[in-house]
Amino acid sequence: MRTDQGASETRLMLQGYGLTTAELYYRMPDYRHVLNSFIWQEYDLAPDYPELFRFIEFWQEKIEGPLHSVRFCHRKLIAPGEWRNVVGEFRLH
């Protein structure tokens, strides 16, 4: 893990990225009647979801288990009303 990971995650959130979680259902290569699931999570931009679609393309090209379906949700972790710039601090004794 990089030491600046927290800073880069915060930077992504401030640029409008949100946390996207996807559950991919796929068929086992040797047992086509068996469905298995895989959870994927990454910071991504709605509504185009370039990271999610890049991962799905990777799966279709490199992984033997064909995809059955994909369910996903997206949540912005910093909303406009939750983040504000504080220019000063008052302390009372």
Side-chain angles (χ1 to χ4, degrees), residues 69-89:
S69 59
V70 177
R71 294 181 349 163
F72 72 96
C73 65
H74 178 82
R75 171 88 164 109
K76 284 191 138 187
L77 300 176
I78 296 180
E82 297 175 21
W83 182 262
R84 63 177 188 209
N85 185 20
V86 177
V87 293
E89 179 179 328

Side-chain angles (χ1 to χ4, degrees), residues 5-75:
Q5 183 175 0
S8 65
E9 288 175 353
T10 303
R11 188 176 313 114
L12 285 173
M13 287 185 276
L14 291 173
Q15 293 172 351
Y17 283 76
L19 191 61
T20 301
T21 304
E23 184 173 18
L24 295 91
Y25 291 95
Y26 63 96
R27 298 193 183 278
M28 300 294 287
D30 295 334
Y31 303 97
R32 297 293 174 146
H33 61 283
V34 176
L35 283 178
N36 205 353
S37 67
F38 179 81
I39 302 293
W40 175 88
Q41 196 171 53
E42 188 66 51
Y43 289 100
D44 210 351
L45 277 172
D48 296 328
Y49 305 103
E51 296 297 325
L52 175 60
F53 285 109
R54 189 174 300 125
F55 181 75
I56 290 172
E57 287 174 7
F58 166 80
W59 185 289
Q60 292 174 331
E61 292 173 5
K62 305 290 185 188
I63 306 296
E64 289 184 27
L67 287 174
H68 174 269
S69 59
V70 177
R71 294 181 349 163
F72 72 96
C73 65
H74 178 82
R75 171 88 164 109

